[in-house]
Short mmCIF file of all heavy atoms in Angstrom, two decimals:
data_model
loop_
_atom_site.label_atom_id
_atom_site.label_comp_id
_atom_site.label_asym_id
_atom_site.label_seq_id
_atom_site.Cartn_x
_atom_site.Cartn_y
_atom_site.Cartn_z
N ALA A 111 75.05 108.61 114.92
CA ALA A 111 75.81 109.07 116.14
C ALA A 111 75.03 108.89 117.36
O ALA A 111 75.58 108.79 118.38
CB ALA A 111 76.17 110.58 115.91
N ALA A 112 73.72 108.64 117.23
CA ALA A 112 72.93 108.45 118.46
C ALA A 112 72.59 106.98 118.69
O ALA A 112 71.81 106.67 119.50
CB ALA A 112 71.66 109.23 118.28
N GLY A 113 73.34 106.09 117.93
CA GLY A 113 73.15 104.66 118.16
C GLY A 113 72.36 103.96 117.26
O GLY A 113 72.06 102.76 117.35
N VAL A 114 71.79 104.56 116.20
CA VAL A 114 70.93 103.91 115.23
C VAL A 114 71.79 102.96 114.32
O VAL A 114 72.92 103.43 113.82
CB VAL A 114 70.19 104.93 114.39
CG1 VAL A 114 69.53 104.29 113.16
CG2 VAL A 114 69.15 105.67 115.12
N THR A 115 71.35 101.82 114.09
CA THR A 115 72.08 100.83 113.27
C THR A 115 71.19 100.40 112.05
O THR A 115 71.75 99.83 111.05
CB THR A 115 72.36 99.50 114.08
OG1 THR A 115 71.22 99.00 114.60
CG2 THR A 115 73.42 99.93 115.22
N GLU A 116 69.88 100.70 112.01
CA GLU A 116 69.02 100.42 110.91
C GLU A 116 68.29 101.68 110.49
O GLU A 116 67.53 102.25 111.27
CB GLU A 116 68.15 99.26 111.31
CG GLU A 116 67.33 98.77 110.14
CD GLU A 116 66.62 97.43 110.37
OE1 GLU A 116 67.30 96.63 110.93
OE2 GLU A 116 65.46 97.23 109.92
N ILE A 117 68.53 102.00 109.18
CA ILE A 117 67.83 103.22 108.61
C ILE A 117 66.81 102.66 107.71
O ILE A 117 67.08 101.99 106.73
CB ILE A 117 68.80 104.13 107.83
CG1 ILE A 117 69.99 104.53 108.76
CG2 ILE A 117 68.09 105.28 107.27
CD1 ILE A 117 69.49 105.52 109.91
N ILE A 118 65.53 103.02 107.94
CA ILE A 118 64.40 102.69 107.10
C ILE A 118 63.90 103.88 106.31
O ILE A 118 63.49 104.88 106.94
CB ILE A 118 63.25 102.15 107.94
CG1 ILE A 118 63.63 100.95 108.83
CG2 ILE A 118 62.06 101.69 107.01
CD1 ILE A 118 62.65 100.61 109.89
N ILE A 119 64.21 103.88 105.01
CA ILE A 119 63.85 105.12 104.15
C ILE A 119 62.62 104.77 103.35
O ILE A 119 62.59 103.79 102.62
CB ILE A 119 64.96 105.50 103.23
CG1 ILE A 119 66.27 105.70 104.09
CG2 ILE A 119 64.70 106.71 102.44
CD1 ILE A 119 67.46 106.04 103.21
N VAL A 120 61.55 105.50 103.62
CA VAL A 120 60.33 105.30 102.93
C VAL A 120 60.23 106.29 101.75
O VAL A 120 60.36 107.56 101.87
CB VAL A 120 59.13 105.66 103.86
CG1 VAL A 120 57.83 105.38 103.04
CG2 VAL A 120 59.19 104.76 105.11
N THR A 121 60.33 105.73 100.54
CA THR A 121 60.56 106.46 99.37
C THR A 121 59.36 106.39 98.32
O THR A 121 58.31 105.75 98.62
CB THR A 121 61.74 105.97 98.60
OG1 THR A 121 61.53 104.70 98.02
CG2 THR A 121 63.01 105.98 99.51
N GLY A 122 59.50 107.20 97.29
CA GLY A 122 58.55 107.06 96.12
C GLY A 122 59.17 106.64 94.96
O GLY A 122 60.28 106.14 94.98
N SER A 123 58.43 106.64 93.77
CA SER A 123 58.92 105.94 92.60
C SER A 123 60.12 106.74 91.98
O SER A 123 60.75 106.13 90.99
CB SER A 123 57.71 105.89 91.61
OG SER A 123 57.29 107.21 91.32
N THR A 124 60.48 107.93 92.30
CA THR A 124 61.44 108.65 91.72
C THR A 124 62.79 108.76 92.50
O THR A 124 63.57 109.72 92.25
CB THR A 124 61.00 110.11 91.25
OG1 THR A 124 60.55 110.69 92.48
CG2 THR A 124 59.79 109.97 90.29
N LYS A 125 62.92 107.84 93.55
CA LYS A 125 63.97 108.11 94.48
C LYS A 125 65.11 107.16 94.37
O LYS A 125 65.90 106.89 95.32
CB LYS A 125 63.37 107.94 95.89
CG LYS A 125 62.12 108.88 96.08
CD LYS A 125 62.52 110.34 96.22
CE LYS A 125 61.34 111.19 96.47
NZ LYS A 125 61.57 112.55 96.98
N ARG A 126 65.35 106.49 93.30
CA ARG A 126 66.40 105.49 93.06
C ARG A 126 67.76 106.09 93.48
O ARG A 126 68.64 105.36 93.95
CB ARG A 126 66.35 104.98 91.64
CG ARG A 126 67.51 103.93 91.33
CD ARG A 126 67.31 102.78 92.29
NE ARG A 126 68.50 101.79 92.04
CZ ARG A 126 68.53 100.81 91.19
NH1 ARG A 126 67.52 100.67 90.39
NH2 ARG A 126 69.57 100.03 91.13
N ALA A 127 67.91 107.34 93.24
CA ALA A 127 69.30 107.98 93.54
C ALA A 127 69.57 107.86 94.95
O ALA A 127 70.77 107.84 95.36
CB ALA A 127 69.27 109.46 93.06
N ILE A 128 68.60 107.87 95.87
CA ILE A 128 68.91 107.62 97.30
C ILE A 128 69.41 106.33 97.57
O ILE A 128 70.50 106.10 98.29
CB ILE A 128 67.61 107.94 98.14
CG1 ILE A 128 67.12 109.34 98.02
CG2 ILE A 128 67.86 107.67 99.60
CD1 ILE A 128 65.75 109.61 98.60
N GLU A 129 68.88 105.33 96.98
CA GLU A 129 69.38 103.90 97.16
C GLU A 129 70.85 103.85 96.70
O GLU A 129 71.70 103.22 97.23
CB GLU A 129 68.47 102.93 96.51
CG GLU A 129 67.14 102.89 97.05
CD GLU A 129 66.16 101.90 96.39
OE1 GLU A 129 66.68 100.84 96.05
OE2 GLU A 129 64.90 102.10 96.33
N ASP A 130 70.94 104.44 95.44
CA ASP A 130 72.39 104.38 94.82
C ASP A 130 73.34 105.10 95.78
O ASP A 130 74.53 104.59 95.78
CB ASP A 130 72.38 104.97 93.47
CG ASP A 130 71.58 104.11 92.43
OD1 ASP A 130 71.42 103.01 92.69
OD2 ASP A 130 71.18 104.70 91.44
N HIS A 131 72.99 106.18 96.34
CA HIS A 131 73.92 106.96 97.15
C HIS A 131 74.44 106.14 98.28
O HIS A 131 75.62 106.20 98.71
CB HIS A 131 73.21 108.18 97.67
CG HIS A 131 74.14 109.08 98.51
ND1 HIS A 131 75.22 109.80 98.00
CD2 HIS A 131 74.21 109.22 99.87
CE1 HIS A 131 75.81 110.45 98.93
NE2 HIS A 131 75.24 110.15 100.06
N PHE A 132 73.60 105.37 98.95
CA PHE A 132 73.98 104.69 100.21
C PHE A 132 74.38 103.19 99.86
O PHE A 132 74.52 102.32 100.79
CB PHE A 132 72.78 104.65 101.25
CG PHE A 132 72.57 105.96 101.78
CD1 PHE A 132 71.50 106.71 101.47
CD2 PHE A 132 73.54 106.49 102.65
CE1 PHE A 132 71.23 107.96 102.04
CE2 PHE A 132 73.31 107.78 103.26
CZ PHE A 132 72.10 108.49 102.94
N ASP A 133 74.53 102.92 98.66
CA ASP A 133 75.00 101.52 98.15
C ASP A 133 76.55 101.56 97.82
O ASP A 133 77.16 102.72 97.59
CB ASP A 133 74.23 101.16 96.97
CG ASP A 133 74.41 99.63 96.67
OD1 ASP A 133 74.94 98.93 97.51
OD2 ASP A 133 73.94 99.16 95.67
N ARG A 134 77.24 100.44 97.93
CA ARG A 134 78.58 100.32 97.58
C ARG A 134 78.74 100.56 96.03
O ARG A 134 77.81 100.06 95.30
CB ARG A 134 79.21 99.05 97.95
CG ARG A 134 79.48 98.80 99.46
CD ARG A 134 80.52 99.69 99.97
NE ARG A 134 81.86 99.48 99.37
CZ ARG A 134 82.75 98.63 99.81
NH1 ARG A 134 82.39 97.77 100.85
NH2 ARG A 134 83.91 98.50 99.22
N SER A 135 79.84 101.11 95.67
CA SER A 135 80.10 101.30 94.26
C SER A 135 81.64 100.84 93.98
O SER A 135 82.51 101.67 94.03
CB SER A 135 79.93 102.75 93.70
OG SER A 135 80.19 102.95 92.41
N ASP A 136 81.69 99.52 93.69
CA ASP A 136 83.03 98.89 93.62
C ASP A 136 83.79 99.52 92.48
O ASP A 136 85.01 99.88 92.57
CB ASP A 136 82.90 97.42 93.48
CG ASP A 136 82.35 96.74 94.68
OD1 ASP A 136 82.48 97.36 95.82
OD2 ASP A 136 81.72 95.67 94.56
N GLN A 137 83.09 99.76 91.39
CA GLN A 137 83.80 100.25 90.17
C GLN A 137 84.34 101.69 90.48
O GLN A 137 85.44 102.11 90.13
CB GLN A 137 82.91 100.27 88.96
CG GLN A 137 83.55 100.78 87.73
CD GLN A 137 82.63 100.69 86.46
OE1 GLN A 137 81.48 100.13 86.57
NE2 GLN A 137 83.03 101.20 85.37
N LEU A 138 83.44 102.55 91.08
CA LEU A 138 83.93 103.94 91.35
C LEU A 138 85.07 103.95 92.42
O LEU A 138 86.04 104.70 92.18
CB LEU A 138 82.79 104.78 91.82
CG LEU A 138 83.04 106.16 92.35
CD1 LEU A 138 83.63 106.98 91.21
CD2 LEU A 138 81.79 106.80 92.91
#
Side-chain angles (χ1 to χ4, degrees):
V114 169
T115 58
E116 185 164 319
I117 302 289
I118 304 162
I119 303 179
V120 184
T121 67
S123 59
T124 61
K125 307 289 183 163
R126 179 60 186 270
I128 296 175
E129 298 183 34
D130 291 343
H131 180 74
F132 290 109
D133 197 5
R134 287 292 298 272
S135 179
D136 294 336
Q137 183 177 351
L138 176 58

